[in-house]
Amino acid sequence: MGYKEAYEAWAADPCMFWAQAAEALDWIKPPQTVLDDSRAPIFAWYPDGVMNTCWNAVDRHVEAGRGRQAAIIYDSPVTATKRTITYAELLAQVARLGGALRSRGVEKGDRVVIYMPMVPEALIAMLACARIGAVHSVVFGGFAAHELAVRIDDAKPKAIIAGSCGIEPGRVVPYKPLLDGAIQQAGHKPEFCAIFQREQQPAELGERDVEWFAFQRGVEPAECVPVSGDEPLYILYTSGTTGQPKGVPRPSAGHAVALCWTMKNIYDIDPGDVCWTASDVGWVVGHSYICYAPLLHGATTVLFEGKPVGTPDAGTFWRVISEHGVKVLFTAPTAFRAIKRVDPKGEFIRKHDLNCLKYLFLAGERADPDTIHWAQDMLGVPVIDHWWQTETGWTIAGNPMGLEPLPVKVGSACVPMPGYDLRILGEDGHELPRGELGAIAIKLPMPPGCLQTLWQAEERYRDSYLKRFSGSYDTSDAGIIDEDGYVYVMARTDDVINVAGHRLSTGAIEEVLSALPDVAECAVIGVADELKGQLPMGFLCLNCGVDRPQEEIVEEAIAQVRSQIGPVAAFKLACVVERLPKTRSGKILRGTMAKISDGEEFKMPATIDDPAILEEIQDAVERLGYGDSRDHETRP
Ligand code: COA
Ligand code: AMP
């Protein structure tokens, strides 16, 4: 079946399509209802099916004879460690940790926050939660105590699993003081914390803490707990317009079905193949394609701890690919920009045998044409851009390599996947003709695996995603669909920015800045950056009578964002201004500021090739008010 046939089959009978896809799973009780639309616009896929994600990702492969196959290849140049974990070993470790959690009272439905660096124990912790039906919430290690505290207060975990430290180039990042600080700040207190001690910096344990191995000693391994299809497997927090992140709950069965479908059809991966997603388990890409999808499909996942350059050199990616026989590499364009910058001629690439590599997939931010062309020339494999969000958990638009490779159009994330009915809508919600730029909306229901609400915040879900366009999900991305049905994702329509493939809320940074004693008001916008795509830049208006040196205030502002939000905010640009441009109603004109900060010409972060189209897009983006506060959540 080719792409067109698959898309048409889905469009003709979505329930039949997703019922067939669901056959890829082992069910404890197969679903009778594929889609429950009785509470539309809140939907549920496979609500009466019963399954367990860990069983499908681990146990069933051991039963089927894959016990000795590598499940995880851990490669950590920053600690000079390599380790292979087979499916049988993974099963034993996951069952033991699940048993330990249970022995301390963690039950089905309880939340467990995971705050770990890129070590196999992070995946083991996720799977152990899945095994016992506990709902994990992984928090990215680059977030600091305050952000962790906000997530603890929202998820209300019974337990936290954390590593003692992370490793960043040239420094060890102690996680335990950040964790302790977060628990101190949070209103909710977990009952206990299981700490995985790393030799680079073991942590001092307190009364609430228990050491990882001691925690698991002598426990009965846990069996897989039956979970209903629409119960959440995990909650992943993501940035919105305000400082309060959105908790995206991932429905268990829909997630497993959708990810299984993507492995062959989109990524062309077969069971036993090796795939490497160079991201972090703290992001959705890491949840889906470092952890769950490869394991659900019986493939081998590479877990890489390090950076693309400097660990030890710009050849690290190529060494990992050739050493482990990686067939598919998936990363963010920013990683390739980093490599290209230090190895523009690809000298490090030529030192390695990359015959095993068949595809490079890019996502997380707009893939700029330069990077795509460079990667294509250097690697000689298809470079596939695809578009998705934390909310969807898998590809909205992409080029389905296993189903049918379609011609690549540089600048486009290709075509909508089965499950997604995309519309380009104007301000008033009417559908725009092909080739015109507008808001990208997805006609409801969203396919299996996508969010169907926000964690304990259904009203916020309706307000943020469903209110703007009746009957559709608002992606908060603006774009174009061309005559051939190709989708071009051009810009966010809200105040979210994308820094090195990481999604950040300018509102969250503004909240930190406006709490500074000398700051009367402030605005944060994204400015174009060659390496990271965008960088946040802060503008500070000071209170009358403040006579401290401005540099001191700027330094304080930068330090405060780093300590409150974390280094991942990459907040290094700030300046003091007399006043901020505002509308008559007092709204700050962030779009205007973005234009000014980029010079005379308004520059999009990256564009499609034709300058005429570009000009049109820029005009239209201006009309849409790109950069202005457009999310439907309240923001002053
Ligand atoms: N724990 C603690 N600190 C972290 C961290 C973690 N898990 N992850 C990042 N940081 C820190 C970095 O050390 C850096 O600190 P610095 O300001 O002291 O230099 C800061 O957060 C910003 O990190 P980042 O934006 O990642 O910049 P970088 O210069 O360290 O690396 C890239 C840039 C492009 C090499 C890197 O972001 C990358 O490989 N990205 C591609 C893959 C990816 O992560 N995609 C995300 C979704 S697909
Ligand atoms: P996240 O939720 O962190 O995965 O970020 C999702 C956002 O990143 C999307 O809403 C887009 O704005 C952007 N994004 C992700 N992938 C792409 C892509 N292939 N092209 C353009 N933008 C992308």
Side-chain angles (χ1 to χ4, degrees):
M1 195 193 288
Y3 164 74
K4 196 164 172 277
E5 292 76 34
Y7 194 85
E8 281 173 359
W10 162 76
D13 191 345
C15 285
M16 175 71 86
F17 184 91
W18 291 118
Q20 280 170 1
E23 287 168 13
L25 295 192
D26 276 6
W27 294 88
I28 297 165
K29 181 173 160 277
Q32 300 300 308
T33 309
V34 176
L35 174 68
D36 176 3
D37 56 5
S38 59
R39 286 191 64 233
I42 308 290
F43 297 88
W45 290 96
Y46 316 111
D48 58 3
V50 179
M51 46 78 75
N52 181 284
T53 298
C54 181
W55 172 274
N56 279 283
V58 185
D59 301 54
R60 67 164 167 161
H61 304 311
V62 178
E63 281 215 339
R66 289 188 179 276
R68 288 160 70 178
Q69 183 197 308
I72 302 171
I73 298 173
Y74 171 53
D75 191 314
S76 168
V78 287
T79 59
T81 315
K82 288 177 205 166
R83 202 168 116 205
T84 296
I85 300 175
T86 64
Y87 271 99
E89 288 162 350
L90 184 61
L91 172 55
Q93 295 188 38
V94 167
R96 197 163 56 234
L97 182 62
L101 288 165
R102 273 255 288 272
S103 72
R104 295 284 294 242
V106 178
E107 299 288 340
K108 184 173 159 187
D110 288 339
R111 272 80 57 213
V112 176
V113 160
I114 299 174
Y115 188 54
M116 300 278 268
M118 287 286 284
V119 291
E121 286 71 15
L123 270 55
I124 291 167
M126 293 162 79
L127 292 162
C129 290
R131 191 170 190 83
I132 61 168
V135 180
H136 64 69
S137 186
V138 181
V139 179
F140 175 59
F143 283 124
H146 172 73
E147 289 293 312
L148 182 54
V150 169
R151 287 156 175 79
I152 291 173
D153 270 337
D154 199 71
K156 301 197 172 26
K158 192 172 242 180
I160 297 183
I161 302 177
S164 62
C165 67
I167 321 282
E168 283 298 295
R171 71 180 200 279
V172 172
V173 183
Y175 280 14
K176 188 60 184 3
L178 298 171
L179 173 63
D180 290 344
I183 295 175
Q184 202 176 7
Q185 283 180 40
H188 173 86
K189 311 290 175 198
E191 286 177 17
F192 67 94
C193 300
I195 308 295
F196 176 69
Q197 297 280 26
R198 303 191 77 188
E199 63 181 41
Q200 291 76 14
Q201 186 143 353
E204 227 173 82
L205 301 188
E207 275 182 6
R208 188 182 275 117
D209 306 322
V210 48
E211 188 273 327
W212 177 268
F213 290 105
F215 176 51
Q216 299 181 54
R217 204 161 293 135
V219 301
E220 227 4 71
E223 290 305 315
C224 292
V225 164
V227 173
S228 300
D230 61 343
E231 282 180 309
L233 169 70
Y234 66 76
I235 306 165
L236 180 58
Y237 287 88
T238 189
S239 302
T241 289
T242 66
Q244 177 69 26
K246 296 168 171 173
V248 172
R250 187 74 61 209
S252 295
H255 171 253
V257 171
L259 290 191
C260 278
W261 186 86
T262 65
M263 283 302 280
K264 180 65 194 169
N265 290 302
I266 299 182
Y267 299 97
D268 194 19
I269 293 170
D270 291 309
D273 284 345
V274 181
C275 51
W276 174 24
T277 299
S279 174
D280 189 287
V281 283
W283 308 114
V284 67
V285 168
H287 276 64
S288 292
Y289 290 101
I290 295 174
C291 184
Y292 286 111
L295 299 179
L296 283 162
H297 197 54
T300 298
T301 183
V302 175
L303 179 75
F304 172 78
E305 185 182 31
K307 302 271 168 172
V309 291
T311 54
D313 53 36
T316 302
F317 266 36
W318 324 125
R319 196 265 304 156
V320 171
I321 290 168
S322 69
E323 195 172 321
H324 304 304
V326 171
K327 178 175 174 184
V328 174
L329 170 64
F330 176 178
T331 191
T334 188
F336 267 75
R337 290 198 293 269
I339 296 171
K340 181 174 146 216
R341 199 152 80 161
V342 291
D343 186 21
K345 297 203 174 102
E347 279 157 19
F348 283 95
I349 299 178
R350 282 191 288 280
K351 287 186 188 162
H352 298 273
D353 176 0
L354 300 182
N355 267 323
C356 54
L357 187 71
K358 297 289 174 258
Y359 309 101
L360 167 64
F361 282 85
L362 298 174
E365 58 174 327
R366 189 169 159 70
D368 52 289
D370 276 359
T371 303
I372 293 185
H373 289 309
W374 185 82
Q376 265 167 356
D377 293 348
M378 292 296 156
L379 298 175
V381 299
V383 177
I384 307 301
D385 183 14
H386 60 328
W387 167 55
W388 47 303
Q389 310 183 316
T390 303
E391 287 85 343
T392 65
W394 63 283
T395 312
I396 307 168
N399 194 336
M401 286 295 118
L403 202 53
E404 178 191 359
L406 300 172
V408 169
K409 290 197 190 185
V410 173
S412 164
C414 212
V415 293
M417 289 299 97
Y420 295 97
D421 181 355
L422 299 187
R423 311 281 166 92
I424 303 294
L425 304 179
E427 261 307 273
D428 53 1
H430 73 273
E431 196 169 344
L432 297 175
R434 291 275 164 113
E436 278 197 28
L437 181 90
I440 314 178
I442 302 169
K443 189 167 173 289
L444 292 172
M446 298 266 274
C450 296
L451 92 170
Q452 305 293 346
T453 186
L454 285 173
W455 173 248
Q456 299 199 328
E458 192 177 301
E459 266 323 293
R460 189 178 182 199
Y461 169 68
R462 289 172 186 266
D463 282 355
S464 306
Y465 299 106
L466 308 186
K467 206 160 111 184
R468 187 170 172 205
F469 303 119
S470 166
S472 294
Y473 164 91
D474 177 10
T475 64
S476 293
D477 278 312
I480 294 168
I481 300 183
D482 74 8
E483 289 301 331
D484 301 323
Y486 277 57
V487 182
Y488 294 78
V489 182
M490 303 310 299
R492 291 285 299 195
T493 59
D494 59 7
D495 298 318
V496 163
I497 57 171
N498 200 311
V499 178
H502 309 139
R503 177 165 156 182
L504 293 176
S505 158
T506 54
I509 302 176
E510 285 177 9
E511 280 178 27
V512 176
L513 297 178
S514 44
L516 293 169
D518 293 332
V519 171
E521 63 175 348
C522 66
V524 173
I525 57 166
V527 295
D529 179 72
E530 254 182 38
L531 175 66
K532 297 196 179 186
Q534 280 183 298
L535 279 178
M537 175 159 186
F539 296 83
L540 311 171
C541 284
L542 304 185
N543 290 319
C544 292
V546 171
D547 57 1
R548 289 169 62 205
Q550 291 187 357
E551 305 77 62
E552 213 177 283
I553 296 170
V554 165
E555 253 175 53
E556 192 178 294
I558 289 171
Q560 199 57 16
V561 172
R562 193 174 172 97
S563 84
Q564 293 269 310
I565 295 179
V568 68
F571 184 69
K572 294 179 180 168
L573 303 170
C575 61
V576 171
V577 291
E578 282 296 311
R579 60 190 180 84
L580 299 169
K582 287 192 184 163
T583 61
R584 239 182 282 165
S585 63
K587 263 193 165 193
I588 295 168
L589 286 163
R590 292 185 177 76
T592 311
M593 292 173 66
K595 267 179 270 173
I596 296 165
S597 73
D598 274 354
E600 284 291 290
E601 284 282 302
F602 176 42
K603 284 192 216 118
M604 295 285 294
T607 60
I608 43 181
D609 289 323
D610 183 347
I613 298 177
L614 171 61
E615 210 168 290
E616 221 170 276
I617 289 166
Q618 288 171 349
D619 284 352
V621 168
E622 255 184 83
R623 280 200 303 280
L624 271 171
Y626 167 58
D628 281 349
S629 197
R630 299 179 49 81
D631 205 291
H632 299 282
E633 296 168 86
T634 329
R635 179 173 171 196

